[in-house]
Amino acid sequence: MSTPSKIKTVTLRTLNKFKEDNEKFTCLTAYESTMASVISDAGVDVILVGDSLGMVIQGHDSTLPVTMDQLIYHLECVVKGNNNSHIMADMPFMSYSTDDLGFENAKKLMQAGANSIKIEGGEWISKMAKVLSDRGIPVCAHMGLTPQTINRIGGHHVQGRDPTQKEKIINEAIALEKSGASMLLLECVPGDLAKLITQELQIPVIGIGAGVHTDGQIMVVHDLLGISCLEKPPKFVKNFMNESSSIQSAIENYVKDVKELKFPSKEHTFE
Ligand code: KIV
């Protein structure tokens, strides 16, 4: 008979406590059961079943083709492999374009085993954050570079560099927290802006390409393992396999470096 695991499951409360204690936490993407198990055993706090699966699993050049059924399939695989991590699931492109649709699809993800859901956008998703949060679904609002609106943004550019854009991001982040968002994810924003927002908000702030000062860090697991499909990985990516002898130890080194504020360093941060 196997001994029951003594490690506690990571909940929203755990993540809030990390923020309160000023202790960094880690997040990684996973799309299938074996990798989810390795990631969870390495001590990663949050596993994101991200719509980045459109690129790293399906070979598309954006997240737009990913469907709800595909996301649910990968989520179910991850749930089976997970041990103690908090599982966040992405709501795919157009799966929350109306409140009713968003509500139905968030319900499906939670019933498939997610502990929270992630939606992209600014103030326009406030109402949905409130509706879902009031009904017990923790929402992570994804701001800054939002890959589902890549066609409107016109490429993978750093967001919040000019004063007007910066102010808009700050105000929208505050509005989202007020409406009930439980977490915020900032992608590709200058480090000083991410720091300011992290200090301003009570909810945990997760960063990717947002510098060292956010409460948590997230990476796409393929990037961490140096098997990115891109010719040149983005500035904020670090290949942890360069200094590790196995996948397990690369993930453990990522956890260690984030906890010790060694990653992301200046070279991974936008000024
Ligand atoms: O889908 C994803 O993997 C993401 C991360 C890049 C944050 O949203």
Side-chain angles (χ1 to χ4, degrees):
M1 210 176 82
S2 63
T3 355
S5 165
K6 290 208 179 66
I7 303 167
K8 276 204 186 146
T9 301
V10 177
T11 64
L12 195 56
R13 205 182 147 106
T14 324
L15 303 178
N16 284 321
K17 183 87 172 64
F18 279 136
K19 174 153 188 145
E20 207 183 297
D21 295 347
N22 212 7
E23 191 184 326
K24 303 290 175 193
F25 63 87
T26 50
C27 321
L28 262 185
T29 64
Y31 316 96
E32 42 85 11
S33 131
T34 311
M35 190 58 85
S37 161
V38 173
I39 289 174
S40 185
D41 286 349
V44 172
D45 301 298
V46 179
I47 297 180
L48 169 69
V49 186
D51 59 358
S52 50
L53 75 87
M55 287 168 293
V56 295
I57 304 292
Q58 299 174 333
H60 297 297
D61 61 2
S62 80
T63 59
L64 272 57
V66 177
T67 65
M68 264 307 287
D69 284 348
Q70 291 164 350
L71 208 298
I72 290 171
Y73 168 77
H74 287 280
L75 170 61
E76 285 171 346
C77 297
V78 166
V79 169
K80 288 194 188 108
N82 178 43
N83 295 315
N84 307 294
S85 305
H86 173 103
I87 298 182
M88 185 188 288
D90 247 340
M91 299 270 287
F93 181 59
M94 289 296 154
S95 67
Y96 49 101
S97 52
T98 66
D99 290 346
D100 287 349
L101 195 58
F103 180 61
E104 274 312 308
N105 284 327
K107 179 176 115 187
K108 286 183 190 162
L109 294 175
M110 296 304 282
Q111 288 180 333
N115 303 119
S116 60
I117 61 98
K118 175 162 84 60
I119 47 181
E120 294 183 10
E123 200 154 9
W124 79 269
I125 56 165
S126 302
K127 188 165 163 229
M128 191 156 316
K130 175 157 175 44
V131 170
L132 296 180
S133 164
D134 284 352
R135 284 153 186 79
I137 301 180
V139 173
C140 176
H142 182 154
M143 292 183 66
L145 177 62
T146 45
Q148 290 176 11
T149 53
I150 201 71
N151 289 298
R152 208 194 55 214
I153 297 173
H156 292 88
H157 306 297
V158 181
Q159 301 296 300
R161 270 194 165 141
D162 72 79
T164 318
Q165 215 183 37
K166 185 174 170 178
E167 203 183 315
K168 187 170 185 284
I169 295 178
I170 296 171
N171 291 338
E172 292 193 323
I174 295 171
L176 280 161
E177 176 176 61
K178 281 201 184 122
S179 341
S182 298
M183 285 171 271
L184 182 78
L185 188 148
L186 291 173
E187 177 166 352
C188 285
V189 298
D192 62 345
L193 173 59
K195 183 178 178 184
L196 206 145
I197 294 173
T198 306
Q199 287 169 344
E200 188 69 30
L201 301 192
Q202 306 298 309
I203 56 173
V205 178
I206 303 167
I208 176 164
V212 74
H213 295 291
T214 53
D215 304 302
Q217 293 292 332
I218 187 160
M219 259 182 99
V220 170
V221 68
H222 291 63
D223 289 340
L224 179 148
L225 299 176
I227 48 172
S228 165
C229 48
L230 301 171
E231 240 169 66
K232 189 174 172 281
K235 180 183 170 78
F236 55 82
V237 161
K238 178 173 172 187
N239 176 357
F240 280 82
M241 281 304 279
N242 283 339
E243 300 154 14
S244 316
S245 55
S246 67
I247 291 177
Q248 181 84 22
S249 68
I251 298 171
E252 284 168 0
N253 286 337
Y254 163 68
V255 172
K256 189 167 170 289
D257 280 8
V258 170
K259 298 264 181 207
E260 292 174 2
L261 275 77
K262 289 185 185 145
F263 177 79
S265 64
K266 261 190 158 215
E267 65 175 297
H268 305 114
T269 306
F270 300 107
E271 299 297 333

